[in-house]
Amino acid sequence: MRQRAAPSGFTSTFPMALALRLVLALALPLTLAAVAVAQGPILSFSVSPEPVALALGGWGEARLLVENPSIREADDIAVSWLGPDAFALAYEPESIKVLHPFETGSIRLAIAASPDASEGENRGKIEIIYTYCIGEVCYQIVEEIDVGLLVKPAIASPVNGDSSPTVVESAEDARPLPWPWIGFGLGALIVGGLLISSRRTDGVRAAVLGLCLVVVGGLAYGVVRNQHEQAQAIGAVLCLSCVGIEEAGSADARLSPAAITALESLDEDVELTVFYAEWCDSCPYAEAMVERMAEATDRIDYRFVDVDAEPGLAAAHGIIRAGRTVVPAITRSGEDDVLFGIEDLERRLLKMLGVNR
Amino acid sequence: MRWTSARRGAQGLGLLFGLFGITGIGMTHVLFPGLHCYACPLAITVCPIGLMQNLIVFGTPPYFWLGTIVAYGLLAGRGFCGWFCPFGTLNDLLSFRKVRILKSFSYTKFAVLVGTAFAAWYFADTVFCKLCPAASIEASIPYLLLGVAKVNRPFLIHMGTLVGTLVGMVLISRFWCRYLCPMGGLLALFNRVSFLHLRLDPERCAGCLACAPSCPMGLDPHNDHDDHNCIKCGECVEACKMGALSLHYGIRRRR
């Protein structure tokens, strides 16, 4: 065992303690100065996806994400188009009435391009006005942000002669490397390496103190940011492809000719209920499949139910079990069976309807 | 027997806490201090590894997650593997052959942890969950019995990883915890500073090696009592005739 050094004289410990105090004394004003320098505008804005893809004479959709990193709420956040004139907002965007501290809100933007706009990359400007109050004193703050626009050639009008504007799906933009996360990971690796490899226990107290600060800071800031509820929300949604309820990925909902023939032989009136949720990726496929079937025969009636809006009904059918939601789910009126997921949906739906040969 | 029976009790509590949904009480915000699939129909808590992947997919900085993990790390470190984790308990029940550890392979779990994080970012999906044997046993099979899941490719992949892990567990005690568990890797980072720790009194140790065959993690406790693989289960404390090994709770003393 290593001998502890005998208490030495004042002279040998003094420079160390002095240095420590100096560092601490300097750290405080330096931190404050850094915070002051880093202080940006109150709300931060970003447009997703950027650039916004749109067709000549058509429109493209994007979301303006508004993050409020401050400790006070921001009110009446409204958006308008500044220019250039070849573009405009297709409809008046809804304003955010109240954005609470540490919350992120979003505003849907539909940007329309006139037929005489130039193709290729363009830049537009939007103006954002909001109110920010500190106690009794309120400020109206105006900000401008740039939006990248990617104008594509006009697309021939839709086959069904519908006059609605063409929406161009924005191309999957290459994801940039997540540098903060890489830094986070490297830091964790270094700390972890130190923690698992060190043979000495001398630094334990300092490490424990540091980690306690991480615990307090992480939990406090995490709870302020509502991350504990986010954690629960993530836990409450069942990963369908993880437990084998469906295979990931969805194709176009299209009926096979055999299915259409089978549906024509349906000889009773059936009502189908499709339970869906806003956040569910495979629900549109299930909805489209039921719509196609209803088009093939007039015996089928259907309705869509949002499980978040009608949790009681969903729970009665076993679509919400033990606080966990499984969608898409399709039920047939008067029967208890529930179809979950979208895998092999056409065949299973025909079986539920009793027309598969 | 003192530590063993205390540990069985704690493992029972861990199982109860993990399957608290059976009481009908809804989801909580709590992160589970072990590998316990939140897709389990009875689970009320959140799996830290599942949440980590989801946060990476969403690109959210994980303040709450970090605070909780560090808190668990400080409270017991890998003690949770030995005393609480239901999947660790399953490993325990199948520990027939306490073979010595393949030291260099024990770092694989850090590779699994980093790989899990990387795959979540690269594929924007919870890739690890689709392979996780804890999910096979706690989610895939229950949902098959509930009539929600079907026997298809994802289900068969889950069964494959489960069978592989079970065979490993039977051949090597605590196979999953030793070599593969990303949650174990996460908690292992804090093993040297965690409050629950194993202490060796060198003056009492006769070097008889009676402790080594008792260790389910295949360590040599009188040398490796501070190892990142130590799950603080206390088996070696029971095995030591000289009383040289002991479990302590609190901030460590300087040596």
Side-chain angles (χ1 to χ4, degrees):
Chain A
M1 258 173 95
R2 200 163 53 85
Q3 286 285 309
R4 281 183 72 179
S8 49
F10 185 68
T11 44
S12 70
T13 52
F14 180 67
M16 189 60 206
L18 182 72
L20 201 64
R21 275 190 214 177
L22 274 176
V23 168
L24 283 177
L26 274 175
L28 192 66
L30 279 179
T31 314
L32 290 177
V35 170
V37 168
Q39 187 69 50
I42 297 167
L43 300 186
S44 62
F45 303 96
S46 60
V47 177
S48 159
E50 170 106 64
V52 185
L54 64 172
L56 275 180
W59 59 330
E61 282 208 27
R63 276 181 180 281
L64 175 70
L65 299 174
V66 188
E67 195 188 348
N68 182 2
S70 71
I71 54 164
R72 293 186 177 79
E73 64 178 48
D75 301 321
D76 299 322
I77 305 166
V79 179
S80 58
W81 187 258
L82 275 184
D85 292 336
F87 302 93
L89 292 177
Y91 52 81
E92 188 75 15
E94 266 185 43
S95 61
I96 299 177
K97 292 273 171 273
V98 181
L99 188 64
H100 293 291
F102 306 110
E103 267 191 359
T104 301
S106 80
I107 297 176
R108 271 168 69 112
L109 299 176
I111 300 171
S114 68
D116 48 328
S118 58
E119 267 179 42
E121 284 182 29
N122 282 275
R123 295 210 74 78
K125 259 190 196 317
I126 53 178
E127 182 183 67
I128 302 151
I129 301 181
Y130 62 95
T131 311
Y132 191 80
C133 297
I134 302 171
E136 297 291 301
V137 188
C138 290
Y139 304 90
Q140 190 157 58
I141 298 169
V142 181
E143 287 201 45
E144 285 176 18
I145 63 164
D146 272 346
V147 187
L149 302 167
L150 188 62
V151 182
K152 297 182 175 174
I155 296 174
S157 61
V159 192
N160 55 10
D162 190 345
S163 62
S164 70
T166 319
V167 178
V168 180
E169 287 290 321
S170 66
E172 186 75 25
D173 46 346
R175 288 197 293 164
L177 279 174
W179 290 113
W181 282 86
I182 290 175
F184 192 82
L186 283 178
L189 276 182
I190 292 167
V191 171
L194 284 175
L195 288 177
I196 61 171
S197 67
S198 157
R199 281 263 155 215
R200 288 142 46 98
T201 42
D202 287 5
V204 165
R205 276 156 199 277
V208 167
L209 188 70
L211 292 172
C212 283
L213 291 177
V214 174
V215 171
V216 173
L219 285 180
Y221 193 54
V223 170
V224 165
R225 298 264 308 227
N226 253 341
Q227 287 194 337
H228 57 305
E229 284 178 10
Q230 186 191 7
Q232 185 208 17
I234 290 171
V237 177
L238 184 66
C239 171
L240 298 175
S241 55
C242 292
V243 294
I245 294 175
E246 67 172 33
E247 300 215 33
S250 61
D252 245 8
R254 204 167 281 160
L255 293 183
S256 65
I260 295 173
T261 335
L263 281 170
E264 281 163 1
S265 70
L266 185 67
D267 51 8
E268 52 183 330
D269 287 331
V270 177
E271 196 198 20
L272 295 177
T273 308
V274 183
F275 290 88
Y276 72 97
E278 289 281 325
W279 39 260
C280 157
D281 287 335
S282 47
C283 290
Y285 178 84
E287 292 169 26
M289 180 62 87
V290 169
E291 279 174 346
R292 293 295 94 73
M293 287 198 171
E295 281 164 13
T297 168
D298 46 14
R299 290 283 194 176
I300 295 180
D301 206 2
Y302 63 91
R303 65 187 180 130
F304 298 147
V305 174
D306 183 350
V307 287
D308 293 325
E310 294 187 53
L313 186 62
H317 284 91
I319 288 148
I320 297 178
R321 288 171 200 249
R324 215 162 270 104
T325 310
V326 187
V327 279
I330 303 174
T331 60
R332 178 184 168 171
S333 57
E335 288 190 18
D336 291 336
D337 283 351
V338 185
L339 288 187
F340 291 105
I342 56 167
E343 197 201 358
D344 204 8
L345 186 62
E346 180 190 281
R347 189 188 57 77
R348 290 191 294 145
L349 262 174
L350 290 180
K351 192 174 164 210
M352 182 187 237
L353 295 169
V355 291
N356 60 334
R357 285 168 289 278
Chain B
M1 283 314 283
R2 199 165 52 97
W3 285 123
T4 312
S5 37
R7 197 158 65 89
R8 291 282 174 255
Q11 286 180 325
L13 278 180
L15 206 58
L16 199 68
F17 182 52
L19 304 178
F20 211 63
I22 210 164
T23 62
I25 293 174
M27 300 282 294
T28 66
H29 304 148
V30 180
L31 262 59
F32 195 80
L35 194 68
H36 181 59
C37 187
Y38 53 39
C40 171
L42 299 175
I44 56 163
T45 49
V46 180
C47 171
I49 299 297
L51 181 64
M52 178 184 89
Q53 296 174 74
N54 274 298
L55 291 177
I56 290 172
V57 172
F58 298 152
T60 316
Y63 306 107
F64 180 71
W65 179 86
L66 186 72
T68 315
I69 293 297
V70 177
Y72 287 151
L74 278 180
L75 284 176
R78 289 208 77 180
F80 283 112
C81 306
W83 287 72
F84 205 76
C85 174
F87 202 64
T89 308
L90 178 71
N91 272 260
D92 239 15
L93 296 175
L94 295 177
S95 291
F96 307 117
R97 300 179 69 239
K98 295 180 174 180
V99 295
R100 285 299 294 275
I101 196 164
L102 298 165
K103 191 80 183 172
S104 45
F105 281 115
S106 73
Y107 290 97
T108 337
K109 57 181 172 299
F110 297 111
V112 173
L113 178 63
V114 174
T116 300
F118 180 77
W121 170 72
Y122 190 78
F123 297 106
D125 197 1
T126 53
V127 178
F128 176 78
C129 293
K130 297 182 177 172
L131 304 172
C132 174
S136 313
I137 215 163
E138 290 162 2
S140 286
I141 294 177
Y143 274 105
L144 187 75
L145 299 179
L146 283 172
V148 176
K150 297 174 297 294
V151 178
N152 53 12
R153 205 164 53 110
F155 183 84
L156 291 175
I157 291 172
H158 261 302
M159 290 307 110
T161 55
L162 178 63
V163 169
T165 316
L166 286 176
V167 169
M169 283 185 215
V170 171
L171 293 179
I172 303 174
S173 65
R174 289 235 176 212
F175 168 76
W176 175 258
C177 312
R178 283 185 190 195
Y179 303 121
L180 294 173
C181 185
M183 188 60 202
L186 214 50
L187 290 173
L189 297 177
F190 303 94
N191 233 9
R192 282 179 189 279
V193 292
S194 67
F195 299 150
L196 181 64
H197 62 283
L198 191 64
R199 202 180 278 171
L200 175 81
D201 183 350
E203 281 163 20
R204 286 197 187 181
C205 178
C208 66
L209 288 179
C211 48
S214 71
C215 180
M217 296 298 280
L219 301 170
D220 178 5
H222 88 292
N223 269 333
D224 307 328
H225 63 277
D226 237 0
D227 195 88
H228 67 87
N229 252 327
C230 175
I231 55 171
K232 296 113 187 258
C233 62
E235 294 286 324
C236 55
V237 177
E238 306 272 344
C240 183
K241 302 282 181 289
M242 313 297 288
L245 287 160
S246 49
L247 277 178
H248 284 268
Y249 199 83
I251 297 183
R252 286 151 204 245
R253 285 189 309 223
R254 283 166 189 245
R255 278 196 279 186

